[in-house]
Amino acid sequence: MHPLVTVVDDDESVRESLPDLLTELGFSARAFSSAEEFLTSDCLGTAKCLILDIAMPGMSGLDLQRELALSGRHIPIVFITASRDETIRALALKRGAVDCLFKPFSETVLLAALHAAFQ
């Protein structure tokens, strides 16, 4: 069984392309358009890693990170963001994210972050 990596991003192109790449890399993948959608899904208990956009309408990626921590769920998180704001990146890492990748990122960088998440 391949580990399940979930993608949460409001950008449809990311939700379509990233799961395909993850599958090619040997993971199972599911995509969600919002943090709220992920929280109500059956993947909440089975996700082994979360690739999470920081800026989304409604609940942000940082909000979801905090919500998961408060509920005692420890899912490794790799943030992805189009923002080049180092302050937000530093905050995500300080709160326990495995990595924070700037879009667009390479397959190599993503694979390194996933490898770190599964350590």
Side-chain angles (χ1 to χ4, degrees):
M1 185 79 175
H2 299 293
L4 176 62
V5 177
T6 55
V7 176
V8 182
D9 197 311
D10 60 318
D11 183 332
E12 186 177 358
S13 64
V14 172
R15 288 195 315 273
E16 289 177 356
S17 61
L18 201 45
D20 290 344
L21 175 60
L22 290 166
T23 302
E24 287 176 26
L25 295 173
F27 300 96
S28 293
R30 289 264 314 266
F32 300 92
S33 61
S34 69
E36 295 88 349
E37 184 185 8
F38 170 72
L39 283 173
T40 60
S41 76
D42 59 349
C43 291
L44 186 57
T46 57
K48 300 300 182 203
C49 182
L50 191 54
I51 298 177
L52 181 56
D53 189 15
I54 286 181
M56 295 182 289
M59 182 182 275
S60 74
L62 292 170
D63 292 339
L64 177 56
Q65 182 186 35
R66 186 177 59 244
E67 179 73 23
L68 291 171
L70 289 172
S71 69
R73 295 188 186 275
H74 301 288
I75 304 169
I77 296 173
V78 175
F79 278 106
I80 56 176
T81 182
S83 168
R84 297 285 177 184
D85 186 339
E86 284 293 338
T87 308
I88 290 175
R89 183 179 190 278
L91 178 61
L93 295 172
K94 180 180 175 190
R95 289 183 179 177
V98 174
D99 208 339
C100 183
L101 311 180
F102 295 118
K103 296 176 186 176
F105 47 84
S106 70
E107 182 179 318
T108 306
V109 168
L110 176 63
L111 202 50
L114 288 169
H115 183 70
F118 285 104
Q119 292 306 309

